[in-house]
């Protein structure tokens, strides 16, 4: 399946990325990360797959994308994936995106939703809960 990520057809690469996400095989993360510079639909499918795989390497990769990418489609999928994974390490980068007034409003709204998704899982530390509530409420009250 990993070999299909380099197929000439974007549709095949997208389908391969989606299938690899469903396998939750951590060995696919590296090849999926290589698709970030591909067609935006392929890159988005790769980020969705990385989010489905989860784990430390996925979280680190998605945080890096959230911190560095200014492509709305790419950012959107990385933000959503972090919200689905629900790891506390995603709080700070999501809070930065939440308050970045130079960012697209839609990306900021997705960051608020991702923060709420992480909060609603009920697995945050007391400090994490306080951090989410302070920033999430402040964003909606601005």
């Amino acid at each position: 399946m990993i070999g299909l990520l380099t197929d000439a057809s974007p549709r095949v690469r997208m389908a391969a990325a989606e299938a690899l996400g469903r396998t939750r095989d951590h060995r696919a993360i590296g090849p999926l990360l290589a698709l970030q510079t591909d067609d935006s639909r392929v890159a988005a499918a790769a980020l969705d797959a990385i989010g489905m795989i989860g784990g430390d390497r996925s979280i680190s990769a998605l945080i890096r994308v959230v911190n560095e990418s200014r492509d709305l489609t790419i950012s959107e999928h990385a933000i959503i994936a972090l919200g689905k994974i629900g790891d506390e390490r995603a709080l700070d980068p999501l809070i930065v995106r939440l308050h970045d007034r130079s960012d697209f409003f839609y990306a900021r709204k997705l960051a608020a939703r991702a923060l709420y998704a992480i909060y609603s899982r009920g697995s945050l530390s007391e400090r994490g809960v306080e951090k989410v509530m302070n920033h999430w409420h402040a964003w909606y009250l601005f």
Side-chain angles (χ1 to χ4, degrees):
M1 188 69 58
I2 290 175
L4 294 175
L5 294 175
T6 58
D7 191 272
S9 169
R11 286 187 178 186
V12 171
R13 293 192 306 273
M14 281 176 55
E18 291 167 2
L20 285 166
R22 286 191 296 275
T23 68
R24 301 197 193 292
D25 186 347
H26 291 271
R27 294 174 295 181
I29 294 173
L32 288 166
L33 284 172
L35 295 177
Q36 284 185 52
T37 58
D38 204 316
D39 173 272
S40 64
R41 294 169 299 155
V42 175
L47 290 169
D48 293 344
I50 291 168
M52 289 169 61
I53 293 169
D56 288 341
R57 191 166 175 209
S58 291
I59 294 164
S60 298
L62 292 166
I63 287 172
R64 190 171 46 258
V65 171
V66 168
N67 287 338
E68 297 171 4
S69 180
R70 289 297 170 218
D71 179 303
L72 180 58
T73 301
I74 301 303
S75 295
E76 169 188 333
H77 286 270
I79 289 167
I80 291 168
L82 284 171
K84 287 180 180 177
I85 293 172
D87 192 276
E88 193 160 337
R89 290 173 285 179
L91 295 181
D92 288 333
L94 290 172
I95 287 169
V96 168
R97 290 301 290 267
L98 180 74
H99 294 294
D100 185 355
R101 292 194 182 265
S102 68
D103 207 350
F104 294 100
F105 180 78
Y106 185 65
R108 294 173 63 211
K109 183 177 178 179
L110 287 174
R113 286 184 179 168
L115 286 167
Y116 184 74
I118 294 169
Y119 166 80
S120 66
R121 293 173 72 102
S123 60
L124 289 176
S125 67
E126 187 175 316
R127 185 173 184 270
V129 169
E130 182 179 328
K131 187 181 288 190
V132 169
M133 296 312 290
N134 286 341
H135 291 280
W136 190 76
H137 284 293
W139 185 77
Y140 274 104
L141 296 175
F142 81 91

